[in-house]
Amino acid sequence: MPRALITGITGQDGSYLAEFLLDKGYEVWGLVRSSSLGTFERIEHILPRLKLLEGDMTDEGSLVRALKDSRPEEVYNLAAHSYVHRSFGQPVFTADVTGLGVARILEAIRETDLGIRFYQASSSEMYGNTPESPQDEDTLLVPASPYAVAKVFGHLLTQNYRNAYDLFAASGILFNHESPRRGLHFVTRKVTDAVARISLGLADKVELGNLDARRDWGFAGDYVEAMWLMLQQDEPGDFVVATGVNHSVGELCELAFGMVGLDYRDHVVVAKEHMRPSDVDALLGDPSRARAQLGWEPRVGFEELVRMMVDADVARQKANPGVRTYA
């Protein structure tokens, strides 16, 4: 039975990846912070099948202990302080967890077992307002937030350890990927949660930021397969994971509200406080390398994804009016 260790297992991606690996016959270990010990909403249904370890991306000693206890063949580093807007207010914490956390786990692997295959969760936010479109693995990185800067550090350091220590280290440059398990502070989930509450008479308005920003949105459940495929290759590399199609936040709102018979213009308020100090106008991924080398293709399209999220939020609000999940 192969063994894998997932950091960030309680998050959206961690929960889908854990399910995927369990279905593949893996023994799945998860690293959780002491402050996250009670936040198992996303993995509650598979908890009996998981082995959890307490540790923190700011503490290299705990990462070494986790590796020694779990003895994994594969490590998936999904842990991060991942809310882009909030990273402007917490730049040092973001750098420590999202950036230096990668250095700590890479060092822990180097000290413990260089035979481990390592996956780093890089991000399309690294591209920022690059003039190149679509973006691929060789596109210039122009990070536009503390979160993106931290992700660039982790991405380049992963490449460095691959070259310097012959470590099997792969980076997935994932474009925006969503699901019914997305946190409420992400715009897609903020919209679909608002659609549910407004359609049921529990709210009337939702405040958003830039409606013209365009993103390449896919389904998180599809994207975790690409993570796994990267670690099954003969040689490690970097791969863009995306759909190759982007949409604006305004289009997202129009589609989501339209699914419950509402006009988003009657309910969406653009609020200055939700604007980023520096915003990224548009991101569009070119997944050609992932398609050719990994054999990976996204299965869930944009409309199906939004429908999935709206239906899930409506069902949740009907069952427990006013209760907010995955906050």
Side-chain angles (χ1 to χ4, degrees):
M1 180 181 290
R3 291 183 302 277
L5 173 65
I6 303 172
T7 72
I9 195 170
T10 61
Q12 170 191 256
D13 292 6
S15 68
Y16 280 109
L17 179 60
E19 287 176 341
F20 179 86
L21 294 177
L22 287 170
D23 288 345
K24 288 284 184 184
Y26 278 66
E27 180 178 287
V28 178
W29 294 71
L31 189 77
V32 295
R33 292 174 298 161
S34 57
S35 59
S36 299
L37 289 176
T39 57
F40 293 156
E41 277 184 294
R42 296 178 178 89
I43 58 171
E44 190 172 5
H45 61 296
I46 54 173
L47 264 179
R49 304 171 64 194
L50 301 174
K51 299 178 183 293
L52 300 183
L53 296 160
E54 190 173 338
D56 198 296
M57 298 302 292
T58 64
D59 176 18
E60 185 182 337
S62 71
L63 301 179
V64 171
R65 287 192 297 274
L67 291 173
K68 289 180 176 179
D69 288 345
S70 59
R71 295 176 294 109
E73 286 95 359
E74 298 172 4
V75 170
Y76 296 85
N77 183 37
L78 310 185
H81 182 242
S82 58
Y83 185 19
V84 176
H85 189 278
R86 194 175 294 161
S87 76
F88 285 98
Q90 298 177 311
V92 176
F93 178 67
T94 300
D96 194 16
V97 176
T98 307
L100 289 176
V102 182
R104 294 185 186 101
I105 195 161
L106 284 169
E107 272 297 283
I109 289 172
R110 189 175 71 85
E111 293 174 17
T112 306
D113 181 2
L114 275 172
I116 289 172
R117 294 191 168 208
F118 176 74
Y119 170 83
Q120 166 60 16
S122 293
S123 168
S124 61
E125 287 289 331
M126 300 189 305
Y127 295 119
N129 279 312
T130 183
E132 303 174 43
S133 184
Q135 295 90 40
D136 63 20
E137 294 81 4
D138 300 315
T139 296
L140 177 68
L141 305 178
V142 190
S145 68
Y147 168 78
V149 172
K151 278 293 187 183
V152 169
F153 175 84
H155 180 70
L156 296 180
L157 195 67
T158 299
Q159 293 178 341
N160 177 251
Y161 272 64
R162 179 196 307 159
N163 297 326
Y165 302 113
D166 198 28
L167 176 67
F168 193 107
S171 287
I173 308 173
L174 271 60
F175 280 65
N176 295 66
H177 46 290
E178 320 298 323
S179 77
R181 300 178 194 172
R182 196 49 141 160
L184 284 167
H185 53 275
F186 290 89
V187 67
T188 46
R189 181 75 201 294
K190 187 174 183 179
V191 168
T192 61
D193 176 73
V195 165
R197 290 183 295 111
I198 291 169
S199 69
L200 296 171
L202 301 172
D204 184 55
K205 302 290 183 182
V206 60
E207 292 186 352
L208 301 175
N210 182 9
L211 299 187
D212 296 321
R214 301 186 67 86
R215 295 292 184 270
D216 184 329
W217 279 301
F219 173 49
D222 288 343
Y223 285 30
V224 298
E225 180 185 18
M227 299 177 189
W228 175 76
L229 285 168
M230 289 178 211
L231 297 195
Q232 313 314 308
Q233 304 305 301
D234 293 332
E235 298 292 336
D238 304 325
F239 295 89
V240 164
V241 181
T243 70
V245 180
N246 65 9
H247 301 270
S248 71
V249 176
E251 290 172 32
L252 165 69
C253 292
E254 182 177 14
L255 181 60
F257 277 89
M259 287 176 174
V260 294
L262 297 174
D263 188 331
Y264 79 98
R265 292 169 294 188
D266 296 330
H267 304 282
V268 173
V269 178
V270 175
K272 184 178 179 180
E273 57 266 32
H274 296 296
M275 297 288 190
R276 298 178 186 176
S278 60
D279 206 354
V280 176
D281 297 328
L283 292 171
L284 177 64
D286 177 1
S288 298
R289 182 183 293 179
R291 185 181 301 116
Q293 294 187 27
L294 305 180
W296 179 84
E297 293 277 359
R299 298 183 180 88
V300 177
F302 181 65
E303 185 170 347
E304 184 181 353
L305 172 64
V306 176
R307 169 61 71 186
M308 181 193 307
M309 295 177 69
V310 168
D311 287 350
D313 275 321
V314 169
R316 282 190 283 242
Q317 288 299 323
K318 284 182 176 178
N320 296 289
V323 174
R324 317 293 291 281
T325 58
Y326 306 133

